Amino acid sequence: MDKFSDQFNKVDIKNIPHLASFFEILAKCAYDGVYCVELPNSKIGLCCELEVDAGTGSLLHFREPVMIEVSTSDPEVISPITYPDRLDFPFDKFPHINYPHDGMPPSLCLSREDTDEWYSEISFKEYINTLINWLDDAANDRLIKLNT
C-alpha cells in the first residue's frame, strides 16, 4: 500500500526525546509499532496502523494507517493533526475532513471546537482515543450524529 509518509525521511525517536511519551502512548494503541518521519514544516509525523471496527464493505481498512503531525517545539500546547496515511484514502466519501494545506493531504476533523482550544483541555492519550472513535464511527457510517 502506498503511503503519504513514504516520501519523508524516517527519524529515530531517540533523536527527539521530548516526544518519547507521545510515541509510547501511540505505541500502546498501534497494531505493529510506530515510526517517525521528518515533515517539511519542522514537525514530526508519528506513523502507525490503528485497528478499526471495519467490517465487510467498509471504506476503511481493518488496520488503518495514520500519520499524526506533532510539534517539535511545544507538543503539549500545539494541537496534533491527523492524516490518513494511504494515498487511496476516500476523502470524498466522509464528512468531517479538513481541507489540505501547506502541501499536506486533507486531515481528519476530530472536534467541532477550535482545535487548539479543544486540545488544551485534553491529553494526548484522549486525543488518540478520539481518533480511534472517529475511525470506528467512519467505518460504520456514524460520523454524522442525529438527535432522535
Side-chain angles (χ1 to χ4, degrees):
M1 162 185 2
D2 293 328
K3 295 182 178 181
F4 184 76
S5 63
D6 290 343
Q7 65 183 300
F8 303 114
N9 294 324
K10 288 189 177 179
V11 178
D12 191 334
I13 189 65
K14 293 174 187 168
N15 295 332
I16 39 176
H18 61 286
L19 293 182
S21 63
F22 291 77
F23 188 90
E24 290 168 9
I25 289 167
L26 187 56
K28 290 178 183 175
C29 303
Y31 169 69
D32 191 24
V34 180
Y35 63 93
C36 302
V37 295
E38 186 176 9
L39 299 177
N41 53 8
S42 299
K43 294 186 179 179
I44 294 294
L46 302 177
C47 304
C48 69
E49 292 182 359
L50 296 174
E51 290 192 9
V52 178
D53 182 23
T56 304
S58 174
L59 296 172
L60 295 186
H61 294 177
F62 174 65
R63 294 185 183 107
E64 190 65 45
V66 296
M67 179 174 67
I68 302 169
E69 175 185 296
V70 293
S71 168
T72 55
S73 62
D74 204 352
E76 298 289 341
V77 175
I78 299 172
S79 61
I81 301 172
T82 299
Y83 307 98
D85 195 16
R86 59 181 169 109
L87 296 180
D88 65 347
F89 188 86
F91 292 105
D92 61 332
K93 303 293 184 191
F94 295 104
H96 305 295
I97 300 290
N98 297 315
Y99 291 106
H101 68 321
D102 296 332
M104 300 299 284
S107 62
L108 305 181
C109 178
L110 302 181
S111 174
R112 292 179 184 192
E113 298 177 46
D114 174 81
T115 306
D116 291 327
E117 288 179 25
W118 171 64
Y119 186 62
S120 71
E121 299 172 4
I122 64 170
S123 66
F124 186 69
K125 183 177 180 178
E126 291 169 307
Y127 180 91
I128 297 302
N129 288 337
T130 301
L131 169 58
I132 291 169
N133 289 336
W134 190 102
L135 293 169
D136 286 343
D137 285 347
N140 292 284
D141 198 26
R142 296 187 310 247
L143 281 177
I144 305 255
K145 310 275 195 241
L146 299 176
N147 294 333
T148 56

